[in-house]
Amino acid sequence: MASPYNPKNILITGAAGFIASHVCNRLIRNYPQYNIIVLDKLDYCSNLKNLNPSRESPNFKFIRGDIASADLVNFILVTESIDTIMHFAAQTHVDNSFGNSFEFTKNNIYGTHVLLEACKVTGQIRRFIHVSTDEVYGETDQDAVVGNHEASQLLPTNPYSATKAGAEMLVMAYGRSYGLPVITTRGNNVYGPNQFPEKMIPKFLLLAKSGKTLPIHGDGSNVRSYLYCEDVAEAFEVILHKGEVGHVYNIGTKKERRVIDVAKEICKLFNMNQDKSIKFVENRPFNDQRYFLDDEKLKNLGWSEQTPWEEGLRKTMEWYVSNPDWWGDVSGALLPHPRMLMIPGIERQFDGPDVNNSAASFVVNSPRLKTSAFQEPKSDSTSAAEKSSMKFLIYGRTGWIGGLLGKICEKRGIPFEYGRGRLENRSSLMADIQNVKPTHVLNAAGLTGRPNIDWCETHKPETIRVNVAGTLTLADVCREHGLLMMNYATGCIFEYDDAHPLGSGIGFKEEDKPNFAGSFYSKTKAMVEELLKEYDNVCTLRVRMPISSDLTNPRNFIKKISGYNKVVNIPNSMTILDELLPISVEMAKRNLSGIWNFTNPGALSHNEILEMYKSYIDPSFEWANFTLEEQAKVIVAARSNNEMDASKLKKEFPEMLPLKESLIKYVFEPNKKATK
């Protein structure tokens, strides 16, 4: 065996994350002669507190930046005289890869390629350790008694593992074509302190701690192998010093457990009734039944698993019980199928506890290579709102929905500011973002007409300027700054047709193409929705006939029809703002994107609404009906009538009420009490 490798200046990517932070802390602790430089963009699953044991060390330096920035990576390699790279940075959660696979390609493949190219150009790297996963092998046969060895075929089955396999191919190619001294590792599941709770074990521990049920994907028969984080950190220490260039090393254990058994063991730790505390939920689109590794090659280097499962699980439980707020608000991660912060550029924000004023630590903001010291720690009196990980920039201050969003933020303690720029003015939007520094942008601005959409028929350039050009400009600016834009749009782009007959209960779905062009307003909304599909940082919410508990607002659908002499009587989907606008804030928090029918399930006709109005609000109220043909004689532009399928939103928020129940609870009951 060759003599041990001794690095001098090590770059660890993604070291504010789970596994890499344990590796970094171990190397800092055991090798004070090594200079450790950490590069991490502080994505949602990273936390500077994970590096607390190292941050006061003179041989530690933290750089905030993205591995996808070639200029930054080259700058670091040259200025820090890097001779060794341990490449951990990656998107790793399989559930997320089913929702936004392009981000996995960008981070896992492109980011790795940037690092490899920088190594080739600088020509100074003596070791490049690429961290991969056991999932690249694909599913192991259930009756296999020998695990996948390092020369086994790669057969990934999900977007995450496919991107990791793709990155491995690049690493191998650069090793063969350019002679880069590469080593690849493929590891089993890892657990322990500091892990972001989108992963099963920390998720189950936090849920059990709160007395909540543990969601099992499928039937829980899937088998996994688990290694304690400190054992894995030791494995990387061994591979760093003893691993042979050009080789692959499995980091694994032959001790396997079914997912359902892990859940039961966690129930035992918290004295929970297993039958009542475990629920089975919808499985992933594809969920490998088993991963099984042959770890003999690494054992031959002198490594072996040291921590028994029972001891490791107990230590992990004790840590999460003692540190429940380590990650802040993780409610989105505790969902059965979390999709956390997968919009490009959404990153963990710096706050008081994450601050270090040591001269050994600094931040580089990619891609401009400007450096800035960490800010001063905030005092203990910092308000909950200031500690929030979210800050909203809201457009539509003078509008109905925009005003309500501001009130919701005030009530929840979410920092927010209203935008000052006009949507069609790109420079003013960029100034807003620079000044406010939001995590999300909420766009409730738009032209619906004064007093109604008929106005748009004679003001077409103005309508296009705001509804199309303005909305697209804001989406583009947000994309440029890596921000999610919540766009409060409309469902008035459909009308009943042969495939969606009136009264059938068959609603239009998110993927259906708009079929209503009876008004210029609807034309502009349909046009911009289609174009916004090209922006993966936009969440489009199709609002329909909005109603709130404020029955005095002229935009309120009930206020409108209760003031008409005659109304048509057609079932329509509607949006109860008192219930759904807070849900939209939660959607922003979960960083959901794409198109959503933003209505309560079901449909109600004009007469059904007015009958409830008469029953709850004004017993003397009377009204008359007229036909669509008669209505057409008194309006300029046709009106959209449709039912929308809200099953996608209902699945994400199962507590959402059906339309009639929501209307009674949030609108009529409160107003009935107020009139007594």
Side-chain angles (χ1 to χ4, degrees):
M1 182 178 294
S3 59
Y5 171 69
N6 292 305
K8 293 182 179 179
N9 302 307
I10 306 173
L11 173 66
I12 305 180
T13 68
F18 170 49
I19 300 175
S21 64
H22 286 280
V23 174
C24 176
N25 292 333
R26 184 182 187 91
L27 294 178
I28 288 285
R29 181 174 66 247
N30 294 343
Y31 304 94
Q33 71 274 26
Y34 296 172
N35 292 315
I36 308 293
I37 294 86
V38 167
L39 175 62
D40 198 302
K41 70 176 182 179
L42 294 184
D43 210 339
Y44 74 96
C45 55
S46 301
N47 194 329
L48 274 176
K49 290 186 287 188
N50 292 344
L51 295 168
N52 280 347
S54 300
R55 287 167 61 183
E56 296 300 326
S57 301
N59 59 329
F60 171 85
K61 180 179 288 186
F62 176 81
I63 300 174
R64 185 183 186 186
D66 193 334
I67 59 170
S69 172
D71 289 343
L72 174 62
V73 171
N74 278 278
F75 175 82
I76 294 170
L77 296 191
V78 173
T79 58
E80 301 296 337
S81 300
I82 300 298
D83 56 38
T84 304
I85 293 178
M86 302 181 77
H87 176 36
F88 289 86
Q91 294 287 351
T92 65
H93 192 53
V94 176
D95 275 345
N96 284 342
S97 76
F98 290 121
N100 191 346
S101 55
F102 288 110
E103 275 302 291
F104 281 70
T105 301
K106 176 184 173 184
N107 284 276
N108 299 353
I109 296 181
Y110 179 73
T112 301
H113 199 168
V114 169
L115 282 173
L116 291 167
E117 188 65 16
C119 293
K120 184 192 79 172
V121 171
T122 57
Q124 64 194 48
I125 301 302
R126 298 167 58 212
R127 285 292 187 281
F128 184 102
I129 299 176
H130 175 68
V131 182
S132 191
T133 171
D134 59 356
E135 294 196 37
V136 298
Y137 293 121
E139 192 172 59
T140 307
D141 291 339
Q142 294 188 46
D143 57 354
V145 294
V146 177
N148 285 301
H149 55 81
E150 286 82 356
S152 296
Q153 186 177 5
L154 304 190
L155 296 168
T157 59
N158 58 64
Y160 157 61
S161 57
T163 61
K164 294 299 287 185
E168 280 198 36
M169 296 300 100
L170 281 170
V171 171
M172 180 176 66
Y174 270 72
R176 292 181 177 178
S177 296
Y178 304 112
L180 288 185
V182 298
I183 297 173
T184 296
T185 69
R186 299 173 185 149
N188 278 150
N189 287 30
V190 184
Y191 71 100
N194 303 359
Q195 189 171 28
F196 187 74
E198 67 185 356
K199 301 291 187 177
M200 187 186 75
I201 289 177
K203 175 191 289 189
F204 282 4
L205 289 172
L206 287 179
L207 288 171
K209 176 182 176 295
S210 302
K212 298 179 180 178
T213 56
L214 313 185
I216 302 287
H217 292 172
D219 61 6
S221 64
N222 303 74
V223 175
R224 297 292 184 265
S225 302
Y226 299 94
L227 281 170
Y228 189 62
C229 55
E230 284 302 325
D231 289 343
V232 174
E234 182 184 3
F236 279 102
E237 180 183 17
V238 170
I239 292 169
L240 171 65
H241 296 104
K242 298 182 180 180
E244 291 189 52
V245 169
H247 284 239
V248 178
Y249 293 92
N250 287 337
I251 304 175
T253 174
K254 292 184 172 62
K255 300 170 185 175
E256 298 179 290
R257 280 171 177 77
R258 295 187 306 161
V259 169
I260 184 66
D261 294 329
V262 174
K264 289 178 179 178
E265 291 182 70
I266 290 174
C267 286
K268 287 181 182 178
L269 289 175
F270 288 89
N271 298 315
M272 298 170 67
N273 185 308
Q274 297 176 11
D275 295 332
K276 295 181 179 179
S277 301
I278 294 174
K279 68 175 180 180
F280 297 96
V281 301
E282 181 181 359
N283 210 343
R284 291 170 174 170
F286 189 87
N287 198 350
D288 290 320
Q289 188 64 28
R290 183 191 187 201
Y291 302 121
F292 189 40
L293 295 181
D294 182 336
D295 60 349
E296 289 303 312
K297 185 174 180 179
L298 179 58
K299 286 182 177 179
N300 291 335
L301 293 185
W303 176 85
S304 62
E305 180 183 4
Q306 299 296 316
T307 308
W309 163 257
E310 294 76 14
E311 178 186 342
L313 188 61
R314 177 184 54 78
K315 286 181 178 180
T316 306
M317 178 201 71
E318 291 172 351
W319 187 88
Y320 280 95
V321 169
S322 301
N323 299 276
D325 300 321
W326 190 262
W327 292 99
D329 182 0
V330 293
S331 56
L334 300 182
L335 297 169
H337 296 279
R339 291 185 288 278
M340 295 296 296
L341 299 177
M342 285 305 301
I343 300 301
I346 302 296
E347 300 164 346
R348 181 164 296 277
Q349 301 299 301
F350 287 105
D351 57 22
D354 283 345
V355 171
N356 176 26
N357 290 315
S358 166
S361 297
F362 65 97
V363 177
V364 173
N365 291 317
S366 171
R368 294 180 178 82
L369 307 182
K370 294 180 180 178
T371 61
S372 61
F374 284 126
Q375 61 190 34
E376 289 293 326
K378 297 176 182 176
S379 67
D380 293 338
S381 62
T382 303
S383 69
E386 289 172 327
K387 287 184 177 180
S388 170
S389 61
M390 297 191 300
K391 185 176 184 181
F392 291 164
L393 172 59
I394 303 175
Y395 288 92
R397 178 174 192 166
T398 59
W400 182 24
I401 291 179
L404 290 175
L405 288 170
K407 291 179 181 178
I408 291 171
C409 289
E410 289 175 350
K411 184 176 180 180
R412 293 193 172 190
I414 300 173
F416 76 98
E417 291 185 35
Y418 283 107
R420 298 182 179 183
R422 300 186 66 83
L423 295 191
E424 61 271 26
N425 188 328
R426 188 181 187 90
S427 61
S428 66
L429 299 181
M430 295 179 71
D432 282 344
I433 289 174
Q434 292 296 327
N435 293 332
V436 177
K437 295 179 173 60
T439 60
H440 303 74
V441 174
L442 279 55
N443 179 36
L447 278 181
T448 56
R450 311 181 187 95
N452 55 47
I453 63 171
D454 289 343
W455 179 90
C456 299
E457 300 298 317
T458 56
H459 296 79
K460 293 181 179 180
E462 297 95 323
T463 306
I464 293 173
R465 187 179 304 124
V466 176
N467 291 356
V468 181
T471 304
L472 289 174
T473 300
L474 181 59
D476 195 57
V477 170
C478 288
R479 174 68 180 176
E480 189 176 279
H481 288 80
L483 293 170
L484 173 69
M485 182 178 98
M486 305 295 295
N487 188 47
Y488 296 85
T490 181
C492 295
I493 53 179
F494 297 101
E495 62 179 344
Y496 289 113
D497 59 15
D498 292 341
H500 309 83
L502 174 66
S504 67
I506 302 174
F508 289 91
K509 296 186 176 182
E510 282 79 3
E511 60 268 24
D512 289 331
K513 288 190 175 295
N515 67 346
F516 176 73
S519 70
F520 191 74
Y521 165 76
S522 293
K523 285 182 181 179
T524 62
K525 289 294 189 176
M527 182 187 304
V528 77
E529 179 182 289
E530 182 65 24
L531 293 171
L532 286 175
K533 291 179 182 178
E534 305 303 321
Y535 287 86
D536 59 3
N537 64 311
V538 174
C539 182
T540 295
L541 305 177
R542 291 173 173 167
V543 177
R544 275 282 290 155
M545 294 182 171
I547 297 172
S548 81
S549 55
D550 179 9
L551 296 179
T552 65
N553 192 296
R555 294 290 186 187
N556 193 321
F557 179 68
I558 295 178
K559 173 65 175 176
K560 286 182 179 181
I561 63 173
S562 63
Y564 295 155
N565 293 325
K566 293 182 178 181
V567 297
V568 295
N569 184 34
I570 302 176
N572 273 280
S573 290
M574 299 171 192
T575 303
I576 308 303
L577 296 177
D578 299 70
E579 181 180 15
L580 265 60
L581 283 187
I583 283 179
S584 74
V585 172
E586 178 63 25
M587 293 175 78
K589 185 171 155 185
R590 298 183 189 182
N591 288 281
L592 301 178
S593 60
I595 297 174
W596 298 76
N597 288 339
F598 200 60
T599 61
N600 292 85
L604 289 172
S605 68
H606 297 64
N607 282 3
E608 288 175 300
I609 297 287
L610 293 177
E611 283 166 3
M612 285 189 280
Y613 181 82
K614 181 173 183 176
S615 174
Y616 282 90
I617 308 300
D618 184 2
S620 63
F621 181 76
E622 299 292 340
W623 73 95
N625 290 129
F626 63 171
T627 65
L628 285 173
E629 292 74 18
E630 291 172 321
Q631 182 195 47
K633 296 177 181 179
V634 296
I635 59 177
V636 176
R639 301 299 195 259
S640 163
N641 293 289
N642 66 66
E643 181 173 349
M644 307 187 75
D645 187 330
S647 57
K648 179 181 176 181
L649 189 65
K650 178 71 174 177
K651 184 178 181 180
E652 187 75 28
F653 298 94
E655 70 278 8
M656 181 176 63
L657 294 176
L659 177 55
K660 187 172 183 178
E661 292 180 28
S662 183
L663 193 58
I664 292 171
K665 177 179 179 179
Y666 290 101
V667 179
F668 286 128
E669 283 289 352
N671 279 287
K672 179 182 179 181
K673 296 173 184 177
T675 59
K676 289 184 176 179

